[in-house]
Amino acid sequence: MAVLRPHRVGSWLAPMAPALVLLGLFVVGPILWSCYVAFTDAALTGSGATDPQFVGLDNFRRLFADPALWHSAWLTVLFTLGSAVIGQNCLGMLIALLTRHRSRWLRNSVGIVVVSAWVLPELVAAFAIYAFLNPEGTLNNLFAAVGAGEQDWLFSAPMAAIVLGNVWRGTAFSMLVYQATLSQVPGDLSEAAEVDGAGPLRRFRHVTLPIIRGAVLTNLMLVTLQTIGMFTLIYVLTAGGPGDATQTLPLLMYDTAFEFDEIGYGATMSLVLLGIGGLFAVVYAKSLRDEV
């Protein structure tokens, strides 16, 4: 068994020290703090604020008996699948495929339009979507022009509204990933398949997709993890309503910790969200390992 000498450990540890310190401060530290607080009755006010007590598994027993948790977990999975896995991923792929081999002018024009939503701060993007969907907004004006009735989209179809908003804002990332990946696909393979009589769908399925499968899985993992923790966009558009129709886990955690002052119970919910994100990451990582 090889023994690492101290000077050899120091040679690779020293350059990595700043990164390790930052990871410890901003990633590992908050996770450990949340794990600790989840086992206490910490609160923003009262005795829980001045002298939080260790309560063992009480928060977890209460959590798994709380119907609000399962409802919010289901909404979180639904929002993530609809807006990230299906919406952003598929639309980004479609735009990349349609603009492939097109003129630079067209690619740049489409890119500017799509990326302009992505570079907006999340708060500004949320207000832009609100201006589009509110009863006096652009969408209702378009419907009114063809004689259709007015709708309060954020009330009548709240989940569809926040999914649409997240797709609009986040598709640029997937588009850029797939544009870069498709540029690496050898053109002669598609040309050979076309000569053999394969149509566009068969060429994509049997030639392009197997080559870019690793990029697809990587993109899916990144957009999924970005979307699971989405807070600002949903909060600005619906604040979790109407009722609890769009109260995903981040909003339920916020309400519990900062509206009802239960920091300990809110931290317990954050561990559930961490578990859902970890589950998605493990599935994608296993698929990537199988790919390699």
Side-chain angles (χ1 to χ4, degrees), residues 126 162 230-240 251 254-255 259:
I162 62 173
M230 179 72 67
F231 175 82
T232 305
L233 186 141
I234 302 174
Y235 191 79
V236 171
L237 288 177
T238 65
L251 272 74
Y254 175 84
D255 286 344
E259 295 291 336

Side-chain angles (χ1 to χ4, degrees), residues 86-106:
I86 297 174
Q88 293 180 10
N89 181 63
C90 294
L91 186 57
M93 173 73 79
L94 182 62
I95 294 173
L97 287 170
L98 292 177
T99 56
R100 190 185 182 196
H101 303 314
R102 302 301 178 186
S103 66
R104 176 175 293 183
W105 178 86
L106 179 63

Side-chain angles (χ1 to χ4, degrees), residues 204-240:
F204 174 74
R205 179 182 176 186
H206 297 289
V207 177
T208 304
L209 193 56
I211 296 175
I212 67 171
R213 184 169 178 266
V216 172
L217 291 170
T218 301
N219 180 66
L220 280 172
M221 180 165 63
L222 293 175
V223 297
T224 298
L225 296 180
Q226 288 173 355
T227 301
I228 279 180
M230 179 72 67
F231 175 82
T232 305
L233 186 141
I234 302 174
Y235 191 79
V236 171
L237 288 177
T238 65

Side-chain angles (χ1 to χ4, degrees), residues 134-150:
N134 79 73
E136 292 81 29
T138 307
L139 184 58
N140 275 331
N141 288 331
L142 292 175
F143 275 100
V146 295
E150 182 180 283

